[in-house]
Amino acid sequence: MRRLSWIGIGCFVVAFVVSGFFLVQLLRTIPGTPAPVDQGPVQLDGVGLTIFASERGAGQSCTAKDASGAPIALTEPSRSEQFDDAGDVYYVVAHSVEKVPAQAVEVSCTDQSATYFAGRRHTAATFLGPAFAALGSFALFGALGTVLIVVDQARRKRAPRH
């Protein structure tokens, strides 16, 4: 094999390594199970706050405070949202308006008809960045590797044989 073919194979290796890095980043963005709010402060492991209820349509009857005691502005989702985790379904009641950094937050809810949970904010953008980066890097380096190998093979066929 010639130099271009080896570089092409190297591009495939780079494609797998770089896309694997972004896949690991994607796996890290998968949120964990939300924590019950009736057991004290909830430790957020990522940016943003989402409050969930055990029942659909529980309504926003919750308030939240950050680690310093300042209130966190909350808004109801514009559409019905839910989070499924290992067979458990959590219905979104509220999201933080601003990006709340990872910290301990205190959540209290007045409506006692449902059980409430809190966790980091779940957004599509959180998942799309690493997903597109993984796909894009694999496509870019994979295409480059393919082009190099094809060019090398075409040169070999055209080269005079001794």
Side-chain angles (χ1 to χ4, degrees), residues 8 10-16 18-19 136-147:
C11 285
F12 281 110
V13 171
V14 169
F16 282 110
V18 172
S19 62
S137 64
F138 186 79
L140 174 71
F141 288 110
L144 181 61
T146 302
V147 166

Side-chain angles (χ1 to χ4, degrees), residues 22-42:
F22 287 116
L23 286 176
V24 169
Q25 294 297 97
L26 178 64
L27 292 175
R28 286 185 183 166
T29 63
I30 296 173
T33 303
V37 299
D38 60 354
Q39 297 177 358
V42 174

Side-chain angles (χ1 to χ4, degrees), residues 33-111:
T33 303
V37 299
D38 60 354
Q39 297 177 358
V42 174
Q43 182 64 41
L44 298 179
D45 62 353
V47 175
L49 169 67
T50 300
I51 301 174
F52 304 91
S54 59
E55 298 175 13
R56 185 184 304 273
Q60 184 182 354
S61 62
C62 301
T63 58
K65 294 182 180 179
D66 65 14
S68 68
I72 298 172
L74 301 173
T75 183
E76 290 185 40
S78 57
R79 57 181 170 72
S80 177
E81 297 179 35
Q82 68 185 41
F83 174 64
D84 300 333
D85 181 39
D88 295 324
V89 179
Y90 302 94
Y91 300 98
V92 177
V93 174
H95 292 293
S96 59
V97 175
E98 301 294 324
K99 290 184 177 184
V100 178
Q103 63 181 304
V105 295
E106 186 74 39
V107 177
S108 60
C109 301
T110 57
D111 183 4

Side-chain angles (χ1 to χ4, degrees), residues 38 54 72 77 86 104 126 132 152 155:
D38 60 354
S54 59
I72 298 172
T126 304
F132 283 141
D152 187 49
R155 281 185 179 176

Side-chain angles (χ1 to χ4, degrees), residues 109-136:
C109 301
T110 57
D111 183 4
Q112 299 301 318
S113 66
T115 305
Y116 292 92
F117 305 87
R120 76 173 147 161
R121 179 122 189 218
H122 307 145
T123 62
T126 304
F127 302 109
L128 290 178
F132 283 141
L135 288 172

